Amino acid sequence: ADPVDLLLAALASISLPPPDLQGLAGSLRRDPGSLTLADLQLDSLGRLEACIALEIDHGVLITPEVVAALHSADKLLQRIAAAPRV
């Protein structure tokens, strides 16, 4: 599956999703390197929820600590693409 689609699905499923998910989707597809993780509006709970959604819904194993250590959306997408699947 496309890492952008996986990330967007995870973001949509968290309790406080980013308010402009459509706009974020366009930016992630056009130029993910221009987005920081702050642009995704993920606090620590959001990171945890997104990681749980990625694992449960899509079999992607990535930890909130890994996500927190990344600095840009393109790095996160690369990690999602390379993450082990269950």
Side-chain angles (χ1 to χ4, degrees), residues 60-83:
V60 175
L61 294 176
I62 189 167
T63 67
E65 295 79 17
V66 166
V67 174
L70 302 171
H71 300 289
S72 64
D74 65 332
K75 297 291 185 200
L76 176 56
L77 293 172
Q78 290 170 11
R79 286 303 295 258
I80 290 171

Side-chain angles (χ1 to χ4, degrees), residues 6-68:
L6 295 177
L7 178 57
L8 289 170
L11 291 175
S13 73
I14 65 176
S15 55
L16 289 172
D20 184 16
L21 208 50
Q22 287 293 94
L24 193 56
S27 296
L28 283 169
R29 294 193 188 290
R30 280 190 309 278
D31 186 15
S34 70
L35 297 174
T36 67
L37 289 186
D39 294 326
L40 301 180
Q41 300 178 16
L42 286 177
D43 59 10
S44 59
L45 179 59
R47 285 192 301 271
L48 177 62
E49 289 179 313
C51 289
I52 290 170
L54 284 167
E55 181 175 350
I56 291 173
D57 297 338
H58 306 288
V60 175
L61 294 176
I62 189 167
T63 67
E65 295 79 17
V66 166
V67 174

